[in-house]
Amino acid sequence: NLEQPMHDEL
Amino acid sequence: MNIFRLAGDMTHLVSVLVLLLKIHTIKSCAGISLKTQELYALVFTTRYLDLFTDYISLYNTVMKLIFLGSSFSIVWYIRRHKIVRRSYDKDQDTFRHYFIVLPCLVLALLIHHKFTFKEVMWTFSLYLEAVAILPQLVLLQRTRNIDNLTGQYVFLLGAYRALYILNWIYRHYTEPHYVHWITWIAGIVQTLLYADFFYYYFQSWKNNVKLQLPA
């Protein structure tokens, strides 16, 4: 998803 | 999860543990910038607001709690521990929080992905993390004698950032549409701040002399 920031990182 | 990301997280974890261990065992925080540590506590607090709303993985949750807990413990040690606080060099650690916090807040309000509280706070934490090391770097430059643990702490923090960039490059090629330019720019700025330190760190290591930054 192009709009999704990297919220799975720390 | 790729190897660069895991290595980056582990380097970050070790850096924090090195610092906590130094403070806890030798009961000294000499050479450590309280300003930088308080900024990190703020970084983690504003970034991990999603602890309450989203679940990503057990690994993710546990690591977030460790980073929050360790950053607040370090601040507590330097401010409140009756022996440790005596070794804090207040007169050298003069960087002002608001010089860093305010511009980051303004920038996050202007440039963000989505105008929601959580998203703006997350973006703020990225900008803030990028520059939070500055008070520590200034302090290192002022301190003529950098002890080994402090040098290693800063080196590990820089290594963590460098590994995260490798992680993004890897993800960029392996995950379709994995790109977010705010993260990239903040991350690259942050890593560049360590370039100078890395240079002197490797010089001192190569020549086997004590680490000293030029005034």
Side-chain angles (χ1 to χ4, degrees):
Chain A
N1 181 337
L2 188 61
E3 295 292 300
Q4 202 51 54
M6 298 121 133
H7 285 322
D8 59 337
E9 293 184 349
L10 293 168
Chain B
M1 173 89 80
N2 60 69
I3 187 73
F4 304 112
R5 157 83 195 278
L6 185 65
D9 284 349
M10 290 305 123
T11 314
H12 192 188
L13 186 64
V14 171
S15 76
V16 174
L17 294 182
V18 161
L19 185 55
L20 254 180
L21 212 68
K22 166 191 151 95
I23 295 176
H24 182 80
T25 52
I26 53 181
K27 297 282 183 283
S28 160
C29 63
I32 297 300
S33 165
L34 174 63
K35 306 292 169 90
T36 285
Q37 296 307 321
E38 287 176 338
L39 292 173
Y40 280 139
L42 185 59
V43 164
F44 294 134
T45 308
T46 50
R47 182 170 309 164
Y48 298 156
L49 291 172
D50 64 353
L51 266 177
F52 300 103
T53 53
D54 301 284
Y55 178 78
I56 293 156
S57 63
L58 183 64
Y59 171 84
N60 211 285
T61 303
V62 169
M63 291 293 273
K64 284 174 177 173
L65 291 173
I66 292 176
F67 286 132
L68 277 168
S70 56
S71 63
F72 278 96
S73 319
I74 292 167
V75 170
W76 177 85
Y77 262 116
I78 303 177
R79 293 187 83 104
R80 302 265 176 259
H81 191 281
K82 67 180 195 295
I83 301 169
V84 174
R85 61 193 264 193
R86 275 187 241 143
S87 58
Y88 172 53
D89 202 350
K90 203 175 165 182
D91 303 325
Q92 299 270 29
D93 191 20
T94 52
F95 217 102
R96 299 200 189 268
H97 293 98
Y98 54 83
F99 279 161
I100 291 185
V101 173
L102 277 184
C104 291
L105 193 60
V106 171
L107 202 62
L109 285 169
L110 294 174
I111 306 171
H112 47 255
H113 171 69
K114 217 166 41 180
F115 193 66
T116 61
F117 179 69
K118 219 173 75 180
E119 197 63 30
V120 171
M121 285 294 106
W122 181 79
T123 312
F124 166 73
S125 83
L126 284 189
Y127 297 149
L128 189 61
E129 188 188 356
V131 289
I133 194 66
L134 284 175
Q136 180 64 64
L137 291 177
V138 169
L139 186 62
L140 281 188
Q141 209 154 49
R142 287 183 179 168
T143 316
R144 296 315 299 165
N145 286 312
I146 303 169
D147 65 87
N148 280 335
L149 283 175
T150 308
Q152 269 147 24
Y153 166 67
V154 178
F155 172 75
L156 287 165
L157 271 180
Y160 140 66
R161 293 317 306 180
L163 286 162
Y164 251 68
I165 288 188
L166 295 179
N167 156 51
W168 296 336
I169 294 171
Y170 181 87
R171 290 188 76 172
H172 175 71
Y173 285 109
T174 52
E175 292 172 38
H177 308 305
Y178 175 85
V179 60
H180 197 254
W181 62 272
I182 290 178
T183 319
W184 277 92
I185 293 171
I188 290 168
V189 167
Q190 185 175 359
T191 312
L192 286 177
L193 289 180
Y194 289 92
D196 194 53
F197 173 83
F198 274 145
Y199 174 79
Y200 293 105
Y201 186 88
F202 283 119
Q203 288 285 316
S204 82
W205 178 73
K206 200 177 79 186
N207 304 325
N208 205 16
V209 293
K210 210 163 163 45
L211 175 63
Q212 247 183 17
L213 302 183

